[in-house]
Amino acid sequence: MLADGQIAALPTETVYGLGADATNKNAVDKIFKAKGRPDFNPLIVHVSDIQMARKIAEFNPTAELLAQTYWPGPLTFILPLNINAGIAPNVTAGLKTIGVRMPASDVTRNIIKHLGQPVAAPSANASGRLSPTKPEHVVASLGDKIDVIVTGGKSAVGLESTIIDLTGDQPALLRAGFVTGDAIERLIGQSVQDNTKQKTEDAPTAPGQLLKHYAPKTKLRLNAVDIEKGEALLAFGSVKFMGIKGGGHVRDLPISHYMNLSETGDLAEGASNLFSMLHALDQIKAPSIAVMNIPDTGIGRAINDRLTRAAESA
Ligand code: TXA
Ligand code: MG
């Protein structure tokens, strides 16, 4: 189907992607249409192996080292585009740079390998909404707009890939994810600029930072220490001390209104549950969702990044 210029939802370890042959402009255009995505927001291109990546982007020693360490995995590089590689211009939104990633899913890497072309794939959700970590999230968001979903269970990482811009003198983190800026600094022995807080509606160099992103429809109340009447609770760690205002305890909440990202306070587990639990709590249409504090260390930073954006846009 991809070879015929159609689009398909594909599993990855971060979130489900909506894929098209990156060398086919019409096919790539179908992604933008299905998502309702603004055409100035470029797509990440997925490769089956490093040779394919080196053909479409100009690798440097930092990229080689990072690829050797983290690929296949949840890390995307922004590198100079090789303009002779045949990448459709709408993939990069006309930029001279390209985002490249080798996903961990064997199924998806095999599909790319058999296609023999890189696959452009943004997250498989309507533009501005929560990313999908399960096939049913894709159905709910785009089911009537796409013909096929390749299922691969729940995405293990659960947050979109870390994006690191390697086109400047100093590497810059554009999007926080499972691979942290600190880990990258330690590996490459160079400091990494943190551009993850830059928010803009249309800046072309760091469009990963579009203001309205990762939005559930329900309002979020972050760093909650108690629960308002009628609210749902997204907990993290122990809920021993979480009470309902005016009387009551978490255990008095309807079962549909309580979810815990990780009862043991494990940040990686919390990350993998974040979007699926937000999707589920969003369904119950409570007036708001109280979210307990998440430690801002390691992958907790990526969790807080997504929560802050979701809270700002709902
Ligand atoms: O984990 C992921 O990265 C998932 C899976 C499917 O691989 N994909 C994903 O794609 O999150 P998307 O389109 O939802 O987010 C890609 C981000 C966008 O915010 C886009 O602006 C940014 O990457 N991006 C793509 N190419 C870029 C470039 N050349 N320069 C700067 N940012 C770029
Ligand atoms: Mg997305």
Side-chain angles (χ1 to χ4, degrees):
M1 291 178 77
L2 292 174
D4 284 344
Q6 298 189 58
I7 57 178
L10 302 169
T12 90
E13 77 283 24
T14 57
V15 300
Y16 275 71
L18 182 57
D21 176 346
T23 64
N24 182 332
K25 184 166 179 288
N26 288 333
V28 170
D29 211 39
K30 290 180 188 167
I31 295 179
F32 283 92
K33 287 224 172 69
K35 282 183 59 95
R37 182 177 177 109
D39 60 9
F40 57 76
N41 194 5
L43 309 179
I44 292 175
V45 163
H46 297 68
V47 295
S48 53
D49 52 76
I50 186 121
Q51 286 80 7
M52 190 184 266
R54 289 192 193 112
K55 275 187 208 150
I56 58 181
E58 282 170 32
F59 269 60
N60 54 40
T62 307
E64 292 287 347
L65 177 61
L66 285 167
Q68 200 177 44
T69 310
Y70 288 110
W71 278 8
L75 180 61
T76 296
F77 308 141
I78 306 297
L79 291 167
L81 169 69
N82 175 0
I83 52 165
N84 299 318
I87 298 296
N90 48 353
V91 169
T92 56
L95 296 174
K96 293 192 171 68
T97 58
I98 187 163
V100 201
R101 177 167 109 79
M102 190 199 297
S105 160
D106 291 340
V107 173
T108 293
R109 278 210 319 283
N110 271 320
I111 289 172
I112 301 168
K113 187 172 161 204
H114 283 279
L115 180 67
Q117 298 290 358
V119 166
S123 52
N125 53 278
S127 186
R129 309 249 58 114
L130 283 175
S131 289
T133 54
K134 293 178 178 175
E136 49 265 48
H137 300 155
V138 183
V139 176
S141 194
L142 296 175
D144 55 342
K145 301 200 171 65
I146 57 179
D147 295 323
V148 63
I149 300 172
V150 179
T151 60
K154 183 181 167 196
S155 298
V157 172
L159 294 181
E160 302 86 348
S161 61
T162 303
I163 303 182
I164 182 114
D165 184 347
L166 300 174
T167 60
D169 291 337
Q170 189 189 13
L173 199 66
L174 302 188
R175 182 168 72 183
F178 189 80
V179 178
T180 62
D182 290 349
I184 294 174
E185 284 184 346
R186 279 197 300 276
L187 179 72
I188 67 177
Q190 193 184 354
S191 71
V192 170
Q193 195 177 320
D194 185 354
N195 288 356
T196 60
K197 298 275 190 306
Q198 285 181 4
K199 289 179 200 137
T200 162
E201 288 290 353
D202 58 9
T205 55
Q209 312 315 319
L210 281 184
L211 208 58
K212 283 180 74 122
H213 232 105
Y214 318 115
K217 289 180 178 137
T218 315
K219 197 173 80 165
L220 300 189
R221 197 166 60 81
L222 303 186
N223 301 316
V225 291
D226 53 17
I227 307 156
E228 306 268 357
K229 272 245 150 22
E231 252 184 353
L233 175 67
L234 183 60
F236 181 79
S238 168
V239 291
K240 218 173 2 180
F241 300 110
M242 288 298 283
I244 302 174
K245 269 195 181 157
H249 185 261
V250 180
R251 72 180 85 85
D252 304 317
L253 287 176
I255 194 156
S256 58
H257 283 52
Y258 168 64
M259 294 203 155
N260 199 324
L261 290 168
S262 170
E263 285 178 9
T264 59
D266 178 332
L267 287 169
E269 185 186 21
S272 78
N273 285 330
L274 180 69
F275 288 144
S276 57
M277 290 186 176
L278 281 176
H279 275 285
L281 292 177
D282 205 19
Q283 300 298 310
I284 63 172
K285 302 196 164 64
S288 53
I289 302 168
V291 184
M292 285 170 69
N293 178 269
I294 316 284
D296 204 37
T297 56
I299 194 184
R301 293 182 75 162
I303 299 176
N304 284 322
D305 168 83
R306 304 308 190 274
L307 282 171
T308 311
R309 287 171 203 278
E312 280 168 2
S313 54

